[in-house]
Amino acid sequence: MSKDVVITDNWLDSVAFDDQGLVTVVAQDYLSKRVLMVAWMNRQALEITAKTRFATYFSRSRNKLWHKGEESGNQQKVHDIRLDCDGDVIVLLVEQVGGIACHTGRESCFYYALETNAQGQPAWVAQDPVLKDPAEMYRPSK
Amino acid sequence: MSKDVVITDNWLDSVAFDDQGLVTVVAQDYLSKRVLMVAWMNRQALEITAKTRFATYFSRSRNKLWHKGEESGNQQKVHDIRLDCDGDVIVLLVEQVGGIACHTGRESCFYYALETNAQGQPAWVAQDPVLKDPAEMYRPSK
């Protein structure tokens, strides 16, 4: 079990960023409570998110701030920000603009369910409809 | 954006464990959909969880398998296992035995909410009642 979070004068100092300066963030629909995606934030992304009330993450693959929806338009309006007991995970309750959080055009990134196949073995099976063609979501820059 | 998951014959091979052999796991109440906790699993923990239908994690601080509830009795009965688009995060829909997921005796580990204090500054404020004294949850081994 990790050490319990210490609540400090500066709220950002209570967050236990890892050795890469990141914290895990779960984005959950504020009404249905469905988990839409999990991503990461650095200190700056978290500060921007709290100020603007729109989710900004840190992209580990692109190594830069990622204003969610900057390309697709699918922004996340933040209703609530929660921190866990040891300060190393954040939950955002968000209103998902456009109803699509996943780059595949689905509502949620968690569309594979572990089911039992015809051979009686566990198998990941894709659920959930594609609501929008990803090719339409990410138009090339002009 | 990370690479999309490849669905393989062995379901465990589709999971993108990190360089420490771990995958992030979000445990969510199967009825209320509240996020209860976030923890980590290695391949063995995930296999045990799928077979037994009770959550087993990998404790990074103790560096060993952690059968959730082995000390506190607060096991998590697994109703659904979901994987995300790039295969590096799992969501468990669980029935939380005893209604307490957090070692502080609360339902959920996410009991700090970011609010605005009297000085107009953001501040983490603890919410949610303590349902059970942690001293009663973790009795010393005999």
Side-chain angles (χ1 to χ4, degrees):
Chain A
M1 194 172 297
S2 306
K3 285 177 75 173
D4 286 358
V5 62
V6 177
I7 300 303
T8 51
D9 282 349
N10 183 334
W11 67 282
L12 284 163
D13 292 336
S14 296
V15 180
F17 295 99
D18 67 15
D19 51 12
Q20 295 172 80
L22 301 177
V23 64
T24 305
V25 182
V26 181
Q28 189 178 20
D29 185 276
Y30 82 118
L31 290 178
S32 73
K33 304 289 196 292
R34 181 162 190 193
V35 175
L36 300 174
M37 55 182 277
V38 169
W40 284 262
M41 289 185 183
N42 62 5
R43 189 175 170 111
Q44 191 187 3
L46 180 55
E47 192 167 17
I48 292 171
T49 298
K51 273 194 185 154
T52 64
R53 308 303 287 183
F54 281 94
T56 289
Y57 300 100
F58 185 83
S59 168
R60 296 180 302 173
S61 56
R62 291 178 288 168
N63 201 39
K64 64 171 191 169
L65 289 180
W66 163 34
H67 304 283
K68 172 72 180 161
E70 62 193 350
E71 288 183 61
S72 63
N74 296 333
Q75 292 176 297
Q76 294 177 334
K77 185 165 168 42
V78 174
H79 284 246
D80 199 9
I81 302 178
R82 290 268 181 153
L83 183 68
D84 74 341
C85 52
D86 54 2
D88 64 355
V89 184
I90 281 174
V91 166
L92 297 184
L93 275 294
V94 304
E95 186 178 338
Q96 178 61 63
V97 175
I100 296 173
C102 185
H103 76 285
T104 64
R106 293 177 173 88
E107 179 194 12
S108 162
C109 293
F110 293 89
Y111 59 89
Y112 286 109
L114 192 63
E115 300 192 344
T116 303
N117 66 15
Q119 289 75 45
Q121 297 300 314
W124 297 112
V125 179
Q127 321 277 325
D128 305 314
V130 173
L131 302 173
K132 192 167 180 179
D133 182 349
E136 285 178 36
M137 285 164 62
Y138 302 97
R139 289 179 299 273
S141 308
K142 285 169 191 167
Chain B
M1 196 171 297
S2 307
K3 284 177 75 170
D4 285 358
V5 63
V6 177
I7 300 302
T8 51
D9 282 348
N10 183 333
W11 68 282
L12 284 162
D13 292 336
S14 296
V15 180
F17 295 98
D18 67 14
D19 51 13
Q20 295 173 79
L22 301 178
V23 64
T24 304
V25 182
V26 180
Q28 190 179 19
D29 185 276
Y30 81 118
L31 289 179
S32 73
K33 304 289 195 293
R34 180 160 190 194
V35 175
L36 300 174
M37 54 182 277
V38 169
W40 284 262
M41 288 184 183
N42 63 5
R43 188 175 170 112
Q44 191 187 3
L46 180 54
E47 193 167 17
I48 292 170
T49 298
K51 274 194 183 154
T52 63
R53 309 303 286 181
F54 281 95
T56 289
Y57 300 101
F58 185 83
S59 167
R60 297 180 300 173
S61 55
R62 290 178 288 167
N63 202 40
K64 63 171 192 169
L65 289 179
W66 163 35
H67 304 283
K68 172 72 180 163
E70 61 192 350
E71 289 182 60
S72 64
N74 296 333
Q75 293 176 296
Q76 293 177 334
K77 186 167 170 38
V78 174
H79 284 246
D80 199 9
I81 301 177
R82 290 267 180 154
L83 182 69
D84 74 341
C85 51
D86 55 2
D88 66 353
V89 184
I90 282 174
V91 166
L92 297 184
L93 275 295
V94 305
E95 186 178 337
Q96 178 61 62
V97 175
I100 296 173
C102 185
H103 76 286
T104 65
R106 292 177 173 87
E107 178 193 12
S108 162
C109 293
F110 293 89
Y111 59 88
Y112 287 108
L114 193 63
E115 300 192 344
T116 302
N117 66 16
Q119 289 75 44
Q121 297 301 314
W124 297 111
V125 179
Q127 321 277 325
D128 305 314
V130 173
L131 302 174
K132 192 168 179 177
D133 181 349
E136 286 178 36
M137 287 165 60
Y138 302 96
R139 290 179 298 275
S141 308
K142 285 170 190 166

